[in-house]
Amino acid sequence: MRPRRSSRVRRNDVIVVGEDNEGGGSHRRTRQRKAMVEKNFDGLSDLPDHLAHHILSFLPTKDVLRTSVLSKRWDFLCLTFPSFDFDETRFIPYGLLGCRRKFLDCMHDSLRRRDNPFVQKLRICTLTPRDDELDHLLDRYLHFALRSKLQVLELSVRCIYCLKHDACGLHYQLPDNFFGSVKYLTSLVLESCEFGDHDHQVVNNFAFLRNLYLKYMNIPQEILQKLISSSPVLFSVTLVACIGFRVLKVHNPSVKILAVGRCREVKELELDTPNLITFNLNGALCISNNLIALENSSEILTFKVKNVNSVNSLKTLIISYIQMKDSTLHFMLSCFQNLELMRVANCVLFGKFPLIINEKLDKLEMDSCHFDELVTNASQLRNSAPISEFRNVLLGDDINGGMKCSNITALTLVGHLYFPDLCLRLASCPNLEALILRNCDNLTFLKLDSKNLKCLIVDCCLNLENGNIDTPNLKDFYYIGYLLDFTHMIVPHGLNVRLHIMNSGRLCFTHDLQELKLWGLLARFQYAKSLTITSESGQFVAVPRKVQLCPSLHFVEHLKVKTVLDHMSSYVTFLLEVLHISYCRKILSIDLGTCKIELKFGIETHDDYYENLISSCILFQHDCIRNHLLEARLIISEGNLREMELIRFLMAKAIILRKMLVSFIPELRPAVDPLLFSRAHRILKSFPKASQLVQVIVDI
């Protein structure tokens, strides 16, 4: 006989041991769940206090107070809740006047419910300028917080004057015993506050502080230095628009992130941070209409380190809106031996740009910088960055003759750059694989001779008129700009090409010359694997049949055309004009906005037949639709006259057509009368067919 199993059974929320027959476990668990539902079992209320407080900490303080009406248990949790979060921006829906009143009432209600609260986290962020009532509430909350083991303090008292003048001095005054009462802090965020007249000796050891963020603060140099150096686990330091110190000394081996922004009085940097990973130095001061003037940039005169290992771990360096001498930057870069990313933006460098780069640097970016010469010695860039980006750089010497970038594989040139004779030559970059030219408005002639270049992007260089390109290993070519032609262009077979031809009001040549330019431009890519042509006007993507020119595209496997036609243009005429410039080998895709066309052709694949067809005059009068169209797919809007004319033409012309699929644009179906769909379906079925084997499928 099989022995009985002993199991635990829950009775009245008490676990007991009993006997259980085989197969009775599932029924027992079902009865237990029903009993728990009948008793309104609340698992959240049974959590320990510290877990319930942690869950409530994700809610705003006003929502935490609302939970007190649920039960006595929740009322107790609210009374002992150690986190306070007051943000005036949450009351913006009440209007400008009601916002401040609701915000203050919420702070009053929270204090009214508890006489002596225990505070571990205090966050107060204001939106409008401070007043006497707000100062009184701030004093009371800080009084309770400083008596507790406060861990997180975020006090942001917005000052309207600080938005115009950094650290105006009219700020909220912190209590006199502030430094002696925050020894358990892990995060300190202060905005528009004042420490008062404290001696740096009162700054005690902050054993747990990891995050320090100061904004719009007037802080003496000794106090700031002691605050940073007396925090043994400090991870991040951020100083924004702070005054009161001319020398910024950061001596702390645990700091890994340092950000200094808009501290206009800082003239000297002194670092002893052997574990620093990211350093962001931003000197922007004056912002007007989203523009920042370079003449208002901060000027760094001196940079010091304690020893050679003080900043040896730095990997990311970002410098923006800073003025400094080349000798200062030279010494700074020589200290950063493990630098991987360097970004210099809107900086004025007096003298030469002392680019000392090691093999570990992965990316170099320069945006809107002004300096006299890029490098002092051309050999310094022998082991330069694999990726470099230059934007709006004003160079005194030739960028091509002045730099030897033997290791650079990707280069981006953006904006107004100095080119000798308005011509770009990159013979000094033998290993360049990707070149991006964007908004280079003073570039008129592009000359490239590279065996390793694989990607070329020319984006909105609107003064470019001609080019001489010899890139036998190019794989991708993207062009966005006005219609132009290249005098000489050598590209390999199987190229992926994207052309976006922009409309230009200054084009003065005749339509005949325009069509010749388009024909000549497309002829450069006759061996492309994929060619995409887009334009806002159909005249830049097709050549009329009246122009007696042979097709310029012979070997393109997939031709994509995207444009918009006026309401008077015929879809059939436009399709024939596209075919007039190309002999589609496989696929032709046309996107006209409200009508999408995809045609698949079947032709002989051996090269002898194709070469003979191209060299003969038969190609000029060859009919791709009639002889090679196998499958057609059309997505139409509502079956209007132009769309029906196109479908009728294809079905009546193609003698080997096997499949015709017609569907409607899904987004337009709800707005179209269903009777139109039925009518279009009947008309399509009645069209004459050149091929009796064609299968017509209409997706309604």
Side-chain angles (χ1 to χ4, degrees):
M1 183 176 179
R2 188 174 183 177
R4 296 182 177 179
R5 295 181 302 178
S6 176
S7 63
R8 294 187 176 184
V9 180
R10 185 183 297 270
R11 295 175 182 173
N12 297 329
D13 297 335
V14 178
I15 298 178
V16 298
V17 178
E19 296 181 351
D20 181 26
N21 294 326
E22 184 177 0
S26 60
H27 297 289
R28 183 182 68 258
R29 288 190 294 270
T30 303
R31 291 194 300 268
Q32 293 171 3
R33 285 194 294 268
K34 290 182 179 180
M36 292 167 61
V37 173
E38 292 176 357
K39 294 181 179 181
N40 296 323
F41 178 77
D42 185 6
L44 188 61
S45 298
D46 290 344
L47 289 176
D49 290 352
H50 67 282
L51 291 180
H53 286 158
H54 179 70
I55 295 174
L56 291 176
S57 65
F58 294 97
L59 297 177
T61 302
K62 64 175 184 177
D63 293 335
V64 174
L65 296 177
R66 292 175 182 175
T67 62
S68 62
V69 301
L70 298 177
S71 64
K72 293 182 179 180
R73 162 68 172 164
W74 283 102
D75 184 60
F76 174 77
L77 289 174
C78 292
L79 292 176
T80 58
F81 186 56
S83 178
F84 294 85
D85 187 354
F86 303 101
D87 193 339
E88 193 173 358
T89 59
R90 299 191 181 111
F91 300 91
I92 291 179
Y94 294 98
L96 184 60
L97 297 178
C99 176
R100 170 52 62 93
R101 188 67 263 162
K102 290 288 185 180
F103 173 68
L104 296 177
D105 290 343
C106 182
M107 296 181 68
H108 279 298
D109 292 341
S110 181
L111 280 178
R112 195 178 299 116
R113 293 183 55 84
R114 60 190 82 183
D115 296 331
N116 190 13
F118 177 75
V119 183
Q120 288 184 335
K121 176 183 178 181
L122 177 61
R123 179 179 181 269
I124 302 177
C125 296
T126 66
L127 180 62
T128 54
R130 46 185 274 262
D131 50 28
D132 295 338
E133 184 177 3
L134 177 62
D135 288 352
H136 173 69
L137 287 171
L138 291 176
D139 292 340
R140 292 195 61 187
Y141 273 98
L142 283 177
H143 172 72
F144 293 121
L146 297 180
R147 293 173 54 185
S148 309
K149 294 183 179 181
L150 185 64
Q151 297 179 3
V152 178
L153 175 61
E154 181 176 348
L155 196 59
S156 177
V157 186
R158 301 293 172 85
C159 177
I160 191 173
Y161 300 101
C162 283
L163 299 178
K164 301 178 181 180
H165 309 283
D166 295 342
C168 65
L170 303 175
H171 296 156
Y172 171 73
Q173 188 80 24
L174 294 171
D176 295 336
N177 62 336
F178 179 79
F179 287 112
S181 306
V182 289
K183 53 181 67 177
Y184 296 99
L185 274 179
T186 60
S187 177
L188 176 60
V189 179
L190 296 177
E191 178 179 345
S192 300
C193 297
E194 293 290 340
F195 286 118
D197 297 330
H198 291 285
D199 186 8
H200 68 278
Q201 300 294 338
V202 302
V203 181
N204 297 322
N205 183 23
F206 294 89
F208 307 100
L209 186 63
R210 289 183 54 82
N211 176 44
L212 176 63
Y213 183 97
L214 303 178
K215 185 176 182 180
Y216 296 130
M217 297 284 292
N218 187 352
I219 177 172
Q221 179 174 319
E222 295 79 9
I223 293 182
L224 178 60
Q225 182 179 351
K226 185 65 178 298
L227 182 61
I228 296 175
S229 60
S230 61
S231 304
V233 295
L234 189 60
F235 178 83
S236 173
V237 177
T238 303
L239 306 174
V240 180
C242 294
I243 61 174
F245 50 95
R246 187 178 184 274
V247 179
L248 176 60
K249 296 183 180 181
V250 182
H251 295 179
N252 193 317
S254 64
V255 174
K256 294 186 177 180
I257 299 176
L258 175 61
V260 182
R262 299 165 56 189
C263 297
R264 66 173 184 266
E265 295 184 359
V266 175
K267 301 299 180 182
E268 182 178 331
L269 296 175
E270 184 175 328
L271 302 182
D272 184 13
T273 51
N275 294 312
L276 186 65
I277 297 178
T278 302
F279 180 32
N280 190 336
L281 181 60
N282 185 346
L285 294 178
C286 180
I287 302 178
S288 177
N289 297 326
N290 297 326
L291 296 176
I292 305 180
L294 285 177
E295 57 268 17
N296 292 325
S297 302
S298 300
E299 184 175 2
I300 302 298
L301 301 177
T302 309
F303 177 78
K304 298 180 180 179
V305 293
K306 187 175 181 180
N307 52 59
V308 294
N309 297 321
S310 295
V311 288
N312 198 31
S313 298
L314 188 70
K315 298 184 181 300
T316 302
L317 174 63
I318 302 174
I319 305 177
S320 56
Y321 300 100
I322 294 293
Q323 301 182 35
M324 66 174 64
K325 296 181 178 180
D326 53 359
S327 58
T328 304
L329 183 61
H330 183 281
F331 178 74
M332 181 183 295
L333 296 180
S334 64
C335 298
F336 304 143
Q337 297 297 321
N338 295 310
L339 197 63
E340 295 180 357
L341 168 62
M342 179 179 177
R343 182 181 297 120
V344 184
N346 299 281
C347 291
V348 177
L349 306 174
F350 302 106
K352 302 176 181 179
F353 190 88
L355 204 55
I356 299 178
I357 304 176
N358 52 63
E359 297 179 355
K360 296 183 180 181
L361 190 67
D362 290 332
K363 189 170 185 180
L364 168 66
E365 298 180 6
M366 285 190 286
D367 185 348
S368 301
C369 296
H370 298 255
F371 47 86
D372 297 332
E373 187 177 340
L374 183 60
V375 291
T376 58
N377 185 2
S379 62
Q380 291 176 350
L381 276 177
R382 297 266 180 206
N383 295 317
S384 58
I387 302 178
S388 296
E389 180 173 348
F390 300 89
R391 300 169 179 258
N392 304 316
V393 181
L394 300 181
L395 305 176
D397 292 345
D398 181 10
I399 186 176
N400 312 288
M403 45 186 298
K404 297 295 182 181
C405 310
S406 60
N407 196 40
I408 289 183
T409 59
L411 177 64
T412 302
L413 303 177
V414 185
H416 187 89
L417 291 96
Y418 171 73
F419 299 108
D421 302 327
L422 300 181
C423 175
L424 174 64
R425 304 177 181 87
L426 293 177
S428 58
C429 303
N431 295 321
L432 192 66
E433 296 182 358
L435 174 62
I436 301 176
L437 304 175
R438 182 174 293 119
N439 299 319
C440 298
D441 51 357
N442 61 331
L443 180 64
T444 61
F445 188 85
L446 177 61
K447 183 176 181 179
L448 295 177
D449 185 2
S450 175
K451 296 181 179 180
N452 295 320
L453 193 66
K454 297 179 181 179
C455 178
L456 175 60
I457 300 177
V458 182
D459 184 3
C460 294
C461 299
L462 301 183
N463 290 324
L464 185 63
E465 297 177 356
N466 210 326
N468 191 333
I469 299 177
D470 187 359
T471 53
N473 294 311
L474 195 67
K475 294 183 178 180
D476 299 284
F477 176 74
Y478 302 152
Y479 174 77
I480 301 176
Y482 299 142
L483 187 61
L484 81 164
D485 188 15
F486 293 97
T487 303
H488 177 75
M489 190 170 189
I490 298 178
V491 292
H493 296 195
L495 184 67
N496 295 318
V497 182
R498 294 183 182 179
L499 304 175
H500 179 79
I501 310 300
M502 301 171 57
N503 296 340
S504 175
R506 64 179 182 177
L507 294 179
C508 57
F509 48 75
T510 62
H511 286 289
D512 293 340
L513 182 57
Q514 173 180 304
E515 291 153 359
L516 288 174
K517 278 183 171 289
L518 177 61
W519 183 90
L521 177 62
L522 298 179
R524 306 297 179 185
F525 310 108
Q526 61 175 320
Y527 294 97
K529 179 180 180 180
S530 174
L531 175 61
T532 301
I533 312 174
T534 62
S535 178
E536 298 177 358
S537 176
Q539 62 179 341
F540 294 110
V541 297
V543 177
R545 288 181 293 172
K546 63 181 180 180
V547 181
Q548 299 298 313
L549 294 173
C550 292
S552 57
L553 299 176
H554 300 158
F555 297 92
V556 176
E557 296 183 8
H558 191 178
L559 176 62
K560 304 175 185 178
V561 177
K562 184 177 181 180
T563 186
V564 178
L565 301 180
D566 58 77
H567 65 282
M568 297 298 294
S569 300
S570 170
Y571 289 165
V572 175
T573 302
F574 181 76
L575 173 61
L576 295 177
E577 291 177 352
V578 172
L579 291 174
H580 186 55
I581 62 172
S582 66
Y583 184 86
C584 291
R585 194 167 188 177
K586 288 186 178 181
I587 303 175
L588 170 63
S589 301
I590 301 178
D591 186 353
L592 301 175
T594 58
C595 181
K596 296 179 175 59
I597 308 167
E598 183 177 299
L599 306 180
K600 295 182 180 181
F601 299 90
I603 61 174
E604 298 289 340
T605 57
H606 54 85
D607 295 334
D608 294 338
Y609 169 82
Y610 200 56
E611 292 290 347
N612 294 334
L613 183 61
I614 292 174
S615 60
S616 66
C617 62
I618 301 177
L619 180 60
F620 180 72
Q621 300 179 353
H622 187 71
D623 194 337
C624 288
I625 300 294
R626 175 182 175 84
N627 298 325
H628 299 301
L629 182 60
L630 287 177
E631 182 178 337
R633 176 185 175 87
L634 288 86
I635 303 178
I636 60 178
S637 58
E638 56 183 11
N640 54 40
L641 183 60
R642 292 191 297 177
E643 295 168 346
M644 290 299 175
E645 178 189 11
L646 176 61
I647 298 174
R648 184 186 183 94
F649 170 79
L650 295 176
M651 295 179 62
K653 192 77 171 176
I655 60 176
I656 64 170
L657 185 63
R658 294 295 181 265
K659 185 177 182 180
M660 169 70 73
L661 177 61
V662 181
S663 60
F664 294 88
I665 300 177
E667 293 79 5
L668 299 179
R669 287 185 180 182
V672 180
D673 188 354
L675 296 178
L676 292 178
F677 292 132
S678 302
R679 177 175 174 271
H681 184 268
R682 292 194 302 269
I683 295 176
L684 292 175
K685 293 293 185 180
S686 64
F687 281 161
K689 306 177 183 61
S691 173
Q692 299 301 322
L693 301 178
V694 62
Q695 180 184 8
V696 181
I697 303 175
V698 181
D699 184 9
I700 300 181

